[in-house]
Amino acid sequence: RNPLNDFRNNPLLENATISLLVKDLATGTVVCDYQSSKSVVPASTMKLVTTATALEKLGADFRFKTRLEIIGKLGPDGVLNGDLKIRGGGDPTLGSEKLGDSTFLYKWVDAVKGFGIRKVTGRIIADASLFDGEGVNPKWSWEDIGNYYAPGIYGLSYCDNTYRLVLKTGPIGSVPVILRIVPTIPTLQIDNQLKSAAISFDSAYFYGAPRSNNRSVTGLVPANRSEFITKGDIPNPGLLLAQHFKQMLQERGVQISGIASDIVDSNLPGELVYTHESPLLSEIVNEVNVHSNNHFAEHVFKYLALQNAPVATNKNAVNMIKSYWKGKGLSVNQLFQQDGSGLAESNAVSASFFVELLSYMRTKSVSGDMFYKSLPVAGENGTLKSFLSKTPLQGKVHAKSGTISRVKSYAGYVDVKGKSYAFAILVNNANGSSKAVTQKIESFLVQLFATTK
């Protein structure tokens, strides 16, 4: 039996577009190839491109930096005649539940008081201007925008840019009652079009433009729950951070006369009060790849634009990434990248490009070992916890998965029989469920490596 023929000729995949390549890393020998130069939608396997480029350009020890600055004059009496600014550095971990220092605001207050500031006559300013003001990627779908997994991406982010809508649901067909929003966002207005239903999962979707305080939420949530939580994106996370910072300063004895604001009068640096550093990029990359964190991935992606351009835009990030890998000899004519996470359905990548990237990172990159270890392990953790579980390949595959509507993909490494392989399997438009496609990919890999000498 030929594993490739069994795979591509299966009725489930007869109308699918497939790009597939498996290569021996030591010899460069192609083990299996099917339309490997064809570019197809990759979904979250796009994160491999983002994280590999970041490790190459920024280094595993890179940290995002957020700076507190004073704009004005600090008198000997501790009165700052001016503003206190939070200058965003693109850090996605501020207030994050996933990674970072949960007590960071206390340290910021201590730094301000330690600097001698007792009163601020001006504002607390949130400066997110390191990134452009676009917020969400224009290539994302309207169904995704406004939801926690596709939050706005800003130069100053907070709490994973995510709020929780806590609901009390009633009988089937009734409209749930909104109990509270966590964290509290006083100006947020939610048009509640939800219905309680006989389901056990969250099928609610938020809709709303970037920075807009008007959100609508539609769909279904489980009936008869005393509390049920669904999540949306914070419209203006920088401003919310400034508001919380102001409140905490006041609670701990620093008087603030002005408002919390996201209006930046000047981009010129002020006098530095304190620098907050994020966790290491290696830790951030691990979170991106193991748990497929879109929020972290998009911040890393957008920050890469600043390596070749003065303004962090999506276009500049794409240009930087393609230029870098073209310089390494990779087939960038097979890379059509629109974002850092893979949410955009207009992304397209070939299996060949992925295998070239994976081969470079494993055999040439100084960050190769860190990149390899950042990938989830089949049958053991992250998004691959159930993939290849209880098969001969459990624990022997380090890879990234990708799933959106009509897309299922995997790319990474297989280590068996004393050899290492790079592989990529991307499937678009199969005649069945995502789960069914996953099972066929699992079967193919098990058969292939059972017959490989």
Side-chain angles (χ1 to χ4, degrees), residues 41-292:
V41 182
S44 279
T45 48
M46 182 61 82
K47 292 181 175 74
L48 293 174
V49 181
T50 301
T51 55
T53 310
L55 289 171
E56 286 288 291
K57 288 293 290 183
L58 303 175
D61 294 335
F62 170 82
R63 297 178 190 267
F64 293 95
K65 293 180 173 61
T66 306
R67 295 174 171 85
L68 302 183
E69 300 172 354
I70 56 173
I71 311 298
K73 185 174 179 58
L74 178 62
D77 55 355
V79 176
L80 170 60
N81 290 296
D83 300 321
L84 178 58
K85 177 189 283 191
I86 309 167
R87 185 180 291 275
D91 183 0
T93 72
L94 292 173
S96 172
E97 292 186 348
K98 312 296 183 181
L99 201 63
D101 182 0
S102 61
T103 65
F104 78 98
L105 276 178
Y106 292 99
K107 294 177 181 177
W108 286 18
V109 172
D110 288 342
V112 168
K113 296 179 71 173
F115 199 76
I117 300 172
R118 298 293 176 265
K119 180 179 180 179
V120 178
T121 64
R123 302 163 295 172
I124 306 297
I125 300 175
D127 183 351
S129 62
L130 185 71
F131 293 176
D132 64 7
E134 197 168 50
V136 300
N137 192 303
K139 301 297 184 180
W140 291 354
S141 74
W142 182 242
E143 183 181 51
D144 293 331
I145 294 169
N147 291 283
Y148 74 95
Y149 60 85
I153 306 303
Y154 305 102
L156 188 57
S157 292
Y158 183 47
C159 293
D160 298 304
N161 293 2
T162 298
Y163 64 84
R164 285 169 166 76
L165 187 69
V166 184
L167 306 165
K168 180 179 181 181
T169 67
I172 294 170
S174 65
V175 178
V177 176
I178 297 175
L179 298 178
R180 60 188 177 277
I181 297 171
V182 183
T184 302
I185 308 173
T187 56
L188 183 63
Q189 299 294 317
I190 295 180
D191 176 17
N192 178 14
Q193 300 180 34
L194 290 168
K195 295 290 184 182
S196 301
I199 59 175
S200 60
F201 55 91
D202 182 358
S203 185
Y205 287 87
F206 291 83
Y207 298 89
R211 299 185 186 276
S212 169
N213 285 313
N214 296 311
R215 291 285 189 267
S216 62
V217 58
T218 66
L220 305 175
V221 291
N224 300 310
R225 298 283 185 93
S226 58
E227 283 196 356
F228 183 80
I229 295 173
T230 186
K231 297 184 289 185
D233 88 313
I234 297 172
N236 192 334
L239 178 59
L240 185 64
L241 172 57
Q243 291 168 342
H244 285 185
F245 187 33
K246 176 187 173 183
Q247 179 181 349
M248 189 171 289
L249 284 165
Q250 291 175 319
E251 289 173 352
R252 299 188 67 188
V254 180
Q255 298 179 50
I256 312 293
S257 300
I259 62 171
S261 173
D262 62 343
I263 297 174
V264 181
D265 300 318
S266 172
N267 222 2
L268 295 175
E271 184 178 354
L272 182 65
V273 173
Y274 179 73
T275 300
H276 173 99
E277 295 189 345
S278 75
L280 295 171
L281 180 64
S282 58
E283 298 176 69
I284 293 171
V285 164
N286 191 75
E287 167 65 22
V288 170
N289 287 337
V290 171
H291 300 292
S292 206

Side-chain angles (χ1 to χ4, degrees), residues 21-33 355-356 358-360 362-363 412-424 448-449 452-453:
L21 184 62
V22 182
K23 184 179 286 190
D24 186 316
L25 282 171
T27 65
T29 302
V30 173
V31 176
C32 194
D33 184 339
V355 169
E356 289 176 8
L358 290 161
S359 299
Y360 178 91
R362 190 77 181 274
T363 62
Y413 305 102
V414 181
D415 296 287
V416 291
K417 301 175 184 177
K419 295 184 177 181
S420 295
Y421 303 85
F423 80 96
L448 178 68
F449 286 102
T452 301
K453 296 181 179 179

Side-chain angles (χ1 to χ4, degrees), residues 370-384:
M370 188 269 129
F371 179 72
Y372 174 80
K373 291 178 179 177
S374 78
L375 301 176
V377 182
E380 295 187 3
N381 69 332
T383 55
L384 259 62

